[in-house]
Amino acid sequence: MALIRFVQAGRNATILGAATWLEDSEIRIGRASDCQLKLMHAAIAFHHAIMRVTGDGLILQAAPGAVLGPADQLAQAMRLAEPGDTAQIWPYRLTLAEADALGGFTVSVEQIGPVAEDEALLARRYFDAFECALPNVRLWGFALSCAILLLFFALPAVFAPHEIARPASALAHPNGAPRVGEVALIRLAGLWNVGTNSRAHGAFAGNCAYCHEQAFVPVRSSACLACHQGVGRHADPAIAPGADIGKQRCETCHYEHKGIMVATRDRQADCVACHGNIALVAPRTSLKNVLDFATNHPQFRPALVQDAKLHLTKRFEIGDFSAEDHSNVRFTHATHLKLDKLKTSVAANGCAFCHQPAPGGVTFKPVQFDHACSSCHTLQFEPKHPEWQLPHGHPEEVASRVAGYYARAALAGETFQDPTSEPFFKPGAPPPAPAPTGADMVPYKTAQVMMSSIARSLCGDCHTTVPPAAGQPASSWTVAPVFVPDTYMPASLFSHARHATTSCGTCHAAKSSDGGPVSLLPGIATCRTCHAGEAGGVGRVASTCASCHRFHDDQHPLVTAAAMASMAGARSTMDTRATGLRP
Amino acid sequence: MTPSPEAATGEIHKSFLFWKRGVYAKCALALSIATIALYFWHRPAGTANGGTLLGYSLGVLGLGLIMWLAWFGLRRRHYGGTGLLEGTFSAHVYFGLALVVVATLHTGFHFHWNVHTLAFVLLLLVVASGIFGVYGFWRYPEMMTRNRAGMTLSTMTRQLAALDLTCRQLALTFPDEVVALVMDATAPVAAGGGWRAIGFDRVRDEKRRQNMAVIARVRRELVEGAGATPAAVLPLVQSLTQRVTLIERLYRDRQLRLLMLQWRAVHVPLTVALLVALLIHIVVVFYDW
């Protein structure tokens, strides 16, 4: 029977049942209360190991599932034979001491590692885990800023402007589709683009420098005029110096990057600023003041023909009884629309029976004799031969045509009853001279037809005819030149097509029109039934000045040839962009 | 009698909104109404946009506001975060809100995929995060105080460490299965990453479920398996339960602190980004004038 005792070494060992001599041949080591050596550590099992005394010393045998240390030399069994031999059970080191006189084994137990975690360290770990460490806001801010600078500034700045030197057409692939790289460049430039480009300028939308020629300088008009060379002036600078748009920027009124259409300034106030008191800016103008279409706009002044040959017109106010139109056509709608035959045709075809819209629908094609008049107005001059007609539109051929007819008749031996001779004559009076026959008949009948037909019944029905000068033969009767303008209000943008939803009679009182155009053209009151001023109105269309008037109006009475010449001069001084390539 | 620190906190963290009877709220409201009125009164040639006279004016006003609002953040930092001037903070909040009106009118409601709209979106995000910050300042301090029950974070974590060790120590007298369970249960908790921790309730509920399951198993193990008496088991189960309560407090505390402070992780970097985008916006607009 050997004796074993465990002694505590070091300060921290916490063993139970130490220092007592044990007589057992098997010593139980573990956490359980029935263990002779109780080592309280979480890694040590309830019954961790058994120590036996043998002839070779002490054998330490681990329980199934338990191990003996140290950690780098784990074992199931260990032997403590010589004094100084050690074994380890987790933080405890067992050392065999020198045998004492009685031959008992003394095993010193020393705690060489911590039994429990350090509380302060554990608390620190918990503190670190539960404390909110905020992200490094400076770092994130810096990183974000760098990303934005790179993507939104550096890339567009470096790559997009490389397109400057190329003309717009080079942006497009020969087949029309832009190349991939170009799409990328356009997208990059788009990061600076303040808004959608208009369709018209979309072809060079990726090429900022095409219009923005110089950095930090607003777009110059020269950039616009390089393409828009035909743009007209507003007024003759000689008459209205303030209206010289050569001194203004296109951008004042036209805005790009505002959607698929180029936005254009359209404000009544801008126009009224000058036109409200036009004499201040253009003392010599014939224009009248205007404030608003609905409330303060002059009555219309159609341009009536004064000289059909020279196409000279003069403006008369609607309702002006002194208005005269010298288009040299005698025609009234009132007379014609009363005719039964015409009533039927007009009822079937409307005004289009005579009036065909011109291409574009703004105006109408000129009314043609062959189309509109000839079905009623035949130009036969001799009832015996209705197939012989006067040539319409060729007054210079009329006399020869008539003379030719009678010459042919004379050769054929035909005679004609003289329409001027009376079948009865006064008793006692000498009988009228018989009509000439044969060769004499030709000049006689020709003069007769020219007198009656040209001057009165045939040509003269509709045309102003001009009698022969004194001493000239009757065959010199002629028809005055005709000029019927396609519009009587050249300064307005009125389009008949745009008003096709309403009937002609709404504006044109054709049935009661018994004069020239003056009696047929509507006055401002007619327009005002549908059109209000800029402010609009209930059931009425809001209409600004630009609704009816062009700003760049080369045809405007005020825009003279001199003004156009000065415009052309201004263009020639502009930069070299007109060649298509920029410096 | 001096008011308790908690009561004082409760006053200060809300009172900035009503500083001097909300004088800055009124000023900001007046500014907003005035700019809206100007916007509708102004009839620009073409459509309303940042390039008209009013557009430029609103842009300059907005730029001024942004610079001043950002300056507030720098100054706050300069004062070490504690010298918060109540009145300035009040103005920061209300003029920040008015800035949204000014900036939106400056855009003329034109938005595209470009640097200009980027600046506007960044501005909206900065203001939105600021609004959340104000909401947090308004709401969470009281909830945090209630949750902490007079403790500080340091106290709570030290208590938790002590409870962990107590549980493990108490478990040592019980069989191996119980020790293993308790060791698992008291393994140090990882609180989780910054943004994920805002999924707080889900994380917390999961932790609670795990912990309560462990406690139930420990009880069953002890009472049914080892045949220990309830009296012997009580200290361990009590400690484990205390520990669960404490961990829940800690999770809740972290959640509330994140809610109250994490908005700055958006507010500050985006403000810096906004200033950069704004600079690009201004340069580009005048570069391609």
Side-chain angles (χ1 to χ4, degrees):
Chain A
M1 177 63 65
L3 293 174
I4 296 180
R5 68 170 180 176
F6 295 99
V7 296
Q8 190 168 304
R11 286 189 304 158
N12 295 330
T14 48
I15 57 172
L16 300 165
T20 321
W21 286 103
L22 303 169
E23 294 181 34
D24 309 78
S25 58
E26 283 191 354
I27 307 292
R28 291 184 295 280
I29 302 174
R31 291 189 345 261
S33 52
D34 60 348
C35 290
Q36 283 90 334
L37 177 60
K38 281 173 86 174
L39 298 175
M40 300 305 273
H41 185 271
I44 295 173
F46 216 45
H47 293 101
H48 195 86
I50 287 173
M51 186 178 271
R52 288 193 189 85
V53 180
T54 67
D56 289 341
L58 298 175
I59 300 293
L60 194 59
Q61 177 71 46
V67 287
L68 304 173
D72 54 345
Q73 288 177 351
L74 291 177
Q76 280 300 118
M78 297 186 91
R79 193 161 64 106
L80 302 176
E82 300 297 321
D85 282 358
T86 60
Q88 196 173 328
I89 304 177
W90 294 111
Y92 299 101
R93 185 162 64 198
L94 281 57
T95 311
L96 185 61
E98 293 287 338
D100 64 359
L102 295 171
F105 294 96
T106 299
V107 177
S108 70
V109 180
E110 186 186 3
Q111 185 194 328
I112 56 169
V115 173
E117 250 182 290
D118 183 64
E119 190 180 317
L121 275 177
L122 188 59
R124 183 73 227 171
R125 275 174 70 186
Y126 278 135
F127 188 85
D128 290 344
F130 282 103
E131 193 195 23
C132 299
L134 285 180
N136 188 334
V137 290
R138 290 185 191 186
L139 182 70
W140 276 104
F142 181 73
L144 259 176
S145 303
C146 287
I148 289 172
L149 266 175
L150 180 73
L151 182 63
F152 289 90
F153 187 75
L155 286 181
V158 170
F159 292 109
H162 282 184
E163 293 292 291
I164 292 175
R166 302 168 60 184
S169 58
L171 266 177
H173 189 264
N175 293 335
R179 287 185 288 266
V180 175
E182 286 164 351
V183 170
L185 286 172
I186 290 169
R187 292 275 152 76
L188 268 181
L191 294 178
W192 284 13
N193 195 338
V194 295
T196 310
N197 281 92
S198 66
R199 283 197 189 116
H201 298 153
F204 44 85
N207 189 348
C208 311
Y210 206 74
C211 302
H212 302 275
E213 295 171 303
Q214 201 177 335
F216 302 109
V217 173
V219 172
R220 288 178 295 202
S221 300
S222 55
C224 310
L225 292 170
C227 295
H228 297 271
Q229 298 182 16
V231 68
R233 288 231 154 162
H234 179 57
D236 186 351
I239 295 176
D244 182 5
I245 60 165
K247 292 175 185 162
Q248 302 206 7
R249 293 175 55 217
C250 302
E251 257 203 324
T252 311
C253 300
H254 300 289
Y255 311 100
E256 180 49 90
H257 303 281
K258 296 283 177 286
I260 56 171
M261 304 290 283
V262 174
T264 297
R265 193 179 181 116
D266 181 12
R267 283 197 315 190
Q268 191 166 285
D270 294 336
C271 306
V272 168
C274 290
H275 286 268
N277 193 350
I278 192 72
L280 275 183
V281 291
R284 288 190 287 142
T285 186
S286 62
L287 291 178
K288 295 187 173 180
N289 292 339
V290 60
L291 295 175
D292 179 84
F293 181 74
T295 58
N296 192 322
H297 186 288
Q299 177 58 282
F300 298 152
R301 290 186 293 163
L304 302 183
V305 178
Q306 300 304 297
D307 186 318
K309 191 175 181 184
L310 300 176
H311 290 201
L312 290 182
T313 58
K314 186 182 173 188
R315 300 177 75 189
F316 292 91
E317 207 164 84
I318 296 278
D320 181 351
F321 292 109
S322 68
E324 285 179 7
D325 181 72
H326 299 288
S327 55
N328 292 339
V329 177
R330 289 182 188 151
F331 177 87
T332 69
H333 282 83
T335 315
H336 282 76
L337 292 174
K338 279 176 196 155
L339 300 172
D340 285 342
K341 187 178 176 187
L342 209 55
K343 272 183 191 166
T344 318
S345 299
V346 170
N349 301 301
C351 303
F353 180 68
C354 300
H355 299 282
Q356 299 286 329
V362 174
T363 59
F364 287 89
K365 290 177 187 167
V367 174
Q368 296 288 341
F369 172 83
D370 291 341
H371 168 74
C373 314
S374 59
S375 58
C376 297
H377 294 271
T378 62
L379 294 182
Q380 64 182 65
F381 54 90
E382 177 50 58
K384 285 173 78 174
H385 289 280
E387 72 277 14
W388 277 79
Q389 304 226 346
L390 298 182
H392 188 265
H394 301 282
E396 71 283 359
E397 293 176 12
V398 168
S400 56
R401 172 77 61 96
V402 174
Y405 169 76
Y406 286 108
R408 190 200 61 83
L411 287 173
E414 287 187 56
T415 56
F416 299 90
Q417 192 182 352
D418 189 350
T420 60
S421 63
E422 297 180 18
F424 304 103
F425 49 87
K426 279 181 185 171
T437 56
D440 294 341
M441 181 182 75
V442 178
Y444 177 77
K445 287 297 286 182
T446 302
Q448 205 176 45
V449 168
M450 291 296 278
M451 276 297 292
S452 63
S453 304
I454 301 286
R456 290 199 292 274
S457 63
L458 285 179
C459 307
D461 249 7
C462 309
H463 289 277
T464 304
T465 48
V466 185
Q472 294 294 316
S475 59
S476 323
W477 270 94
T478 189
V479 176
V482 170
F483 174 51
V484 180
D486 59 2
T487 176
Y488 286 91
M489 299 189 192
S492 91
L493 282 174
F494 184 87
S495 162
H496 283 90
R498 287 200 167 194
H499 293 79
T501 46
T502 186
S503 70
C504 310
T506 309
C507 304
H508 299 289
K511 282 179 182 166
S512 60
S513 165
D514 55 0
V518 186
S519 63
L520 201 57
L521 289 168
I524 192 168
T526 308
C527 297
R528 280 172 176 164
T529 55
C530 295
H531 288 272
E534 187 181 55
V538 177
R540 291 197 296 163
V541 182
S543 309
T544 63
C545 307
S547 303
C548 304
H549 297 287
R550 296 180 201 88
F551 180 84
H552 299 283
D553 195 350
D554 285 343
Q555 293 162 12
H556 196 278
L558 269 179
V559 181
T560 61
M564 295 315 294
S566 88
M567 188 81 175
R571 273 200 201 97
S572 68
T573 61
M574 282 161 191
D575 69 8
T576 55
R577 280 188 77 257
T579 60
L581 281 167
R582 237 82 64 63
Chain B
M1 184 184 150
T2 52
S4 71
E6 276 176 43
T9 309
E11 283 304 305
I12 286 168
H13 80 261
K14 286 183 179 178
S15 61
F16 70 87
L17 289 179
F18 308 109
W19 191 78
K20 286 200 176 169
R21 294 187 194 172
V23 59
Y24 287 125
K26 287 170 190 163
C27 288
L29 187 67
L31 179 68
S32 305
I33 291 172
T35 49
I36 290 171
L38 273 175
Y39 184 84
F40 284 105
W41 169 79
H42 182 60
R43 298 191 58 215
T47 55
N49 65 82
T52 65
L53 181 63
L54 180 66
Y56 280 130
S57 308
L58 289 172
V60 170
L61 176 62
L63 177 67
L65 277 172
I66 288 172
M67 300 304 280
W68 179 77
L69 291 164
W71 175 246
F72 170 81
L74 283 178
R75 205 167 50 153
R76 222 191 77 138
R77 185 176 291 277
H78 184 69
Y79 283 123
T82 51
L84 187 69
L85 300 171
E86 212 180 330
T88 321
F89 188 26
S90 182
H92 181 83
V93 168
Y94 288 117
F95 281 108
L97 290 171
L99 175 62
V100 174
V101 176
V102 173
T104 307
L105 297 180
H106 172 66
T107 68
F109 300 93
H110 298 289
F111 306 112
H112 302 275
W113 296 103
N114 56 28
V115 67
H116 318 288
T117 299
L118 171 78
F120 180 69
V121 170
L122 286 174
L123 185 144
L124 290 186
L125 290 176
V126 167
V127 174
S129 61
I131 290 171
F132 189 81
V134 169
Y135 174 77
F137 257 59
W138 177 270
R139 188 185 152 126
Y140 296 126
E142 283 167 350
M143 294 169 77
M144 280 179 75
T145 310
R146 231 181 3 256
N147 178 58
R148 284 181 168 186
M151 290 183 282
T152 64
L153 179 64
S154 172
T155 319
M156 286 192 290
T157 50
R158 272 187 276 121
Q159 267 194 20
L160 180 63
L163 273 171
D164 274 5
L165 297 183
T166 306
C167 291
R168 291 179 206 170
Q169 189 62 41
L170 287 171
L172 290 180
T173 55
F174 297 109
D176 291 347
E177 295 76 17
V178 175
V179 174
L181 282 173
V182 173
M183 289 304 285
D184 277 354
T186 59
V189 267
W195 290 106
R196 268 181 303 154
I198 296 191
F200 12 92
D201 288 343
R202 198 174 49 74
V203 174
R204 194 192 57 195
D205 291 348
E206 177 63 16
K207 278 280 161 198
R208 170 187 293 193
R209 201 184 54 71
Q210 287 173 358
N211 275 301
M212 295 317 283
V214 167
I215 290 170
R217 277 183 63 198
V218 167
R219 284 176 65 123
R220 199 166 57 240
E221 224 31 89
L222 288 173
V223 177
E224 294 170 10
T229 60
V233 171
L234 192 60
L236 177 58
V237 171
Q238 261 182 351
S239 293
L240 281 172
T241 315
Q242 272 182 29
R243 193 181 164 282
V244 169
T245 314
L246 194 59
I247 282 193
E248 283 189 13
R249 275 193 204 286
L250 278 164
Y251 270 108
R252 180 70 173 149
D253 186 65
R254 180 184 162 76
Q255 167 194 1
L256 291 171
R257 233 158 344 107
L258 280 175
L259 280 170
M260 203 175 81
L261 299 176
Q262 194 80 327
W263 62 274
R264 280 191 63 234
V266 175
H267 197 68
V268 177
L270 286 192
T271 302
V272 178
L274 166 63
L275 290 172
V276 170
L278 205 60
L279 183 68
I280 300 175
H281 160 66
I282 294 165
V283 167
V284 162
V285 159
F286 289 108
Y287 181 87
D288 282 342
W289 204 345

